Amino acid sequence: MGVIARDENQLTLIYSSNTRVGIHTLSYLTGIDARYLAIDLAKTKVADTQWAEIADSLGVKIGDLVDKRQLDIDTESTANFNSNDWLKIIQNNDSVISRPIAIMGKRTKQIDNPPEIMEFFGVESAGLKQSTPSGTEPDIESNTENEKFIEKNK
């Protein structure tokens, strides 16, 4: 059993308000009518055991969560870093998590592009409601078969 609460009806977004992708991903969530919990790493620390669980559920090492371009050190010197070294970096510099992490139920994904967050809700057209000038009911049925507007990474 993991230490992270996982709910099929609520998305948990772990992001940094000091990153562009983090802010934009959060803005997508605020635009839809869905339950979510936003954890801003600039204000709230995530426990080391939770980082280990996140990395494990993504199938990566803890160091792979870090955007090494954000570090003020030579990336070659990070080759010998262990998990504890990466955890210290994450805990002291929230902007190294430049790609937000979304958790919903058993699914965990690191977000590269803010619209990817919509995959968790099965939303096409960014969840926008349609309106018609004639006052008739809008067509809200999907008009595509087996097409996805956002590519899913497996």
Side-chain angles (χ1 to χ4, degrees), residues 26-74:
L26 179 63
S27 70
Y28 272 87
L29 282 179
T30 59
I32 63 171
D33 186 26
R35 288 183 37 200
Y36 67 91
L37 170 64
I39 300 171
D40 182 358
L41 296 172
K43 298 175 184 171
T44 305
K45 299 292 183 199
V46 172
D48 291 352
T49 54
Q50 291 173 316
W51 284 119
E53 183 179 333
I54 290 167
D56 186 54
S57 64
L58 289 169
V60 299
K61 296 178 183 174
I62 294 172
D64 295 333
L65 299 172
V66 173
D67 183 351
K68 289 150 184 94
R69 298 172 297 173
Q70 297 294 323
L71 298 175
D72 221 8
I73 56 177
D74 181 22

Side-chain angles (χ1 to χ4, degrees), residues 44-150:
T44 305
K45 299 292 183 199
V46 172
D48 291 352
T49 54
Q50 291 173 316
W51 284 119
E53 183 179 333
I54 290 167
D56 186 54
S57 64
L58 289 169
V60 299
K61 296 178 183 174
I62 294 172
D64 295 333
L65 299 172
V66 173
D67 183 351
K68 289 150 184 94
R69 298 172 297 173
Q70 297 294 323
L71 298 175
D72 221 8
I73 56 177
D74 181 22
T75 55
E76 289 180 17
S77 63
T78 63
N80 295 324
F81 282 13
N82 64 27
S83 293
N84 289 328
D85 297 326
W86 288 117
L87 288 168
K88 286 177 187 174
I89 289 170
I90 291 169
Q91 295 296 359
N92 292 306
N93 186 359
D94 62 278
S95 64
V96 300
I97 304 296
S98 65
R99 294 168 41 215
I101 298 159
I103 302 168
M104 189 173 198
K106 295 178 182 178
R107 293 181 60 199
T108 303
K109 180 176 180 161
Q110 199 164 18
I111 305 297
D112 294 309
N113 193 8
E116 290 176 9
I117 196 71
M118 304 313 280
E119 292 176 18
F120 284 86
F121 303 103
V123 175
E124 295 180 34
S125 304
L128 303 175
K129 292 184 179 179
Q130 295 181 8
S131 62
T132 59
S134 63
T136 61
E137 286 294 313
D139 175 17
I140 57 172
E141 296 297 317
S142 179
N143 294 324
T144 59
E145 269 188 52
N146 300 321
E147 284 187 50
K148 300 293 180 196
F149 294 101
I150 302 171

